[in-house]
Amino acid sequence: MNIIIPMAGMGKRMRPHTLTVPKPLVPIAGKPIVERLVEDIVKVCTEQIDNIGFVIGRNFGEDVEADLKGIAEKSGAQGHIFYQDEALGTAHAIYCAKDILEGNTVVAFADTLFKADFTLDVEKDGIIWVKQVEDPSAFGVVQLDDEKQITAFVEKPKSFVSDLAIIGIYYFKKGEDLRAEIAELIDHKIMDSGEYQLTRVLENLTSKGTKFYPGTVQEWLDCGNKTATVNTNHRYLEYIKDDAGLVDASAQVINSVIIPPVYIGKQARIINSVVGPHVSVGHRTEITDSRVENSIIQKDSEISHAILKDSMIGNQAVFEGKSKTMSVGDFNTITE
């Protein structure tokens, strides 16, 4: 089994947090989004994961590449780095990893997380992860026949055709067929709005006999912007609240109250403060004389005399003040 994770964009909607760190490496409950995504995929797969290919921009840097390979190794797979030098669409991004695009393959775009209780049926031609939504007009959706087979893909339908939204994770029994179909588009420069789109590839595969089925998830967790990411952190902490080690043994909690669920990283210090519920605190961050709720505070930051709620604070940031809601990027210092 191979996994391909396109993640070439830094994530403009997540600025300022993605000015220095790619969005898929922003932490959710103490782990990068992309690591949580890999873990969730592994849970629904019945086969060993052999290769994980990360499609990134060349500007991500060697440290990020090493981190990504480390994430693959934790799942028992070999990590591969592929570059997308031009933003030419979703299908093009997948094709950048063509060297491992064969056999049982999962493609997952790295700005979404999910919770599911189904087991991936690798004998099916293809499976598309979907979630039932109230307003399908904002999403790409699938239509099903009486046999629960996907018959059509509709992008942002203006009138109701289905409420099963595509969340951006796909399984292909034959990755080589996907590779060949994308190559056909690229060779003949068949583009939609200037890009090579995966939707057209799926339509072409369906017309040639590939049978796709839905894999319905319980929850679809978006990490597209700061508010959505804080909410996903909240939900994830609820999922893992009974796990051991959410508060690292090296963390110091001095004259403070911790309201679970929270994640507190290595060598963090909580002094004269109330932290929680639904807060993630990164390694070596110090929180003093503050109240923090439903927020993400990343590594090596300092928070003092603050009241923070629904906030996101970056790495090596300093914040002192009374604001209720903040979004502070890496290396910033703010006093109020």
Side-chain angles (χ1 to χ4, degrees):
M1 172 80 73
N2 298 322
I3 300 175
I4 295 173
I5 302 181
M7 47 183 286
M10 290 291 283
K12 292 182 180 179
R13 290 190 298 149
M14 274 281 284
R15 289 180 178 174
H17 303 282
T18 54
L19 288 172
T20 55
V21 176
K23 180 171 66 175
L25 293 184
V26 171
I28 295 294
K31 292 183 180 180
I33 293 169
V34 67
E35 184 171 352
R36 292 288 184 193
L37 176 61
V38 169
E39 289 177 345
D40 288 344
I41 293 171
V42 169
K43 287 176 184 177
V44 303
C45 289
T46 57
E47 295 192 350
Q48 168 66 32
I49 308 300
D50 299 310
N51 299 287
I52 302 178
F54 302 94
V55 182
I56 66 173
R58 293 184 188 273
N59 60 330
F60 279 31
E62 293 181 358
D63 290 344
V64 169
E65 293 181 15
D67 288 344
L68 292 173
K69 288 181 178 179
I71 289 170
E73 290 171 3
K74 287 180 184 178
S75 67
Q78 182 176 355
H80 304 265
I81 301 299
F82 302 99
Y83 302 108
Q84 185 183 28
D85 293 320
E86 293 182 86
L88 294 177
T90 50
H92 178 265
I94 296 166
Y95 194 70
C96 292
K98 60 182 181 296
D99 290 349
I100 62 167
L101 193 49
E102 58 183 25
N104 293 351
T105 301
V106 172
V107 173
F109 290 90
D111 59 356
T112 189
L113 297 175
F114 69 97
K115 284 297 170 184
D117 59 4
F118 67 85
T119 299
L120 183 64
D121 183 354
V122 296
E123 293 305 313
K124 285 188 165 59
D125 289 351
I127 296 173
I128 298 175
W129 274 248
V130 298
K131 177 70 173 73
Q132 192 172 29
V133 295
E134 291 185 5
D135 180 14
S137 65
F139 305 97
V141 300
V142 298
Q143 290 181 285
L144 309 180
D145 62 16
D146 293 339
E147 303 298 321
K148 302 299 183 183
Q149 181 179 322
I150 295 172
T151 58
F153 306 89
V154 183
E155 186 66 27
K156 298 181 179 179
K158 294 181 180 179
S159 58
F160 183 86
V161 296
S162 170
D163 59 2
L164 294 177
I166 301 170
I167 74 169
I169 307 175
Y170 312 81
Y171 165 74
F172 302 87
K173 185 177 182 179
K174 295 182 178 180
E176 58 271 23
D177 289 352
L178 174 63
R179 181 181 62 209
E181 199 60 49
I182 299 174
E184 184 77 8
L185 291 189
I186 294 174
D187 288 346
H188 293 86
K189 293 184 170 53
I190 302 172
M191 308 176 83
D192 296 285
S193 301
E195 295 184 335
Y196 299 106
Q197 296 291 355
L198 180 57
T199 301
R200 180 178 285 272
V201 173
L202 297 174
E203 291 171 343
N204 292 347
L205 286 170
T206 300
S207 69
K208 294 177 180 179
T210 301
K211 297 178 180 180
F212 289 103
Y213 295 86
T216 304
V217 302
Q218 294 169 303
E219 190 158 9
W220 176 14
L221 302 169
D222 180 30
C223 301
N225 56 41
K226 169 258 179 184
T227 300
T229 302
V230 169
N231 180 65
T232 292
N233 182 73
H234 177 128
R235 297 296 303 143
Y236 233 97
L237 284 169
E238 283 292 329
Y239 293 139
I240 65 174
K241 63 184 177 183
D242 296 325
D243 291 0
L246 286 182
V247 177
D248 193 86
S250 66
Q252 297 181 41
V253 180
I254 302 168
N255 193 33
S256 297
V257 176
I258 305 299
I259 305 174
V262 299
Y263 167 85
I264 300 179
K266 296 177 182 178
Q267 300 176 15
R269 287 167 51 87
I270 314 297
I271 305 167
N272 300 328
S273 297
V274 178
V275 173
H278 307 115
V279 175
S280 291
V281 179
H283 304 326
R284 298 174 299 278
T285 281
E286 183 169 305
I287 299 174
T288 306
D289 299 317
S290 298
R291 174 72 173 95
V292 183
E293 179 182 353
N294 196 47
S295 296
I296 299 171
I297 302 173
Q298 299 183 54
K299 296 184 294 185
D300 300 300
S301 291
E302 298 177 16
I303 309 298
S304 62
H305 303 96
I307 300 173
L308 291 176
K309 183 177 181 181
D310 306 328
S311 296
M312 192 166 172
I313 309 294
N315 300 287
Q316 300 184 48
V318 176
F319 180 77
E320 179 180 356
K322 298 296 184 181
S323 292
K324 288 285 188 179
T325 302
M326 290 294 295
S327 183
V328 179
D330 295 355
F331 308 109
N332 281 297
T333 297
I334 297 178
T335 59
E336 293 188 338

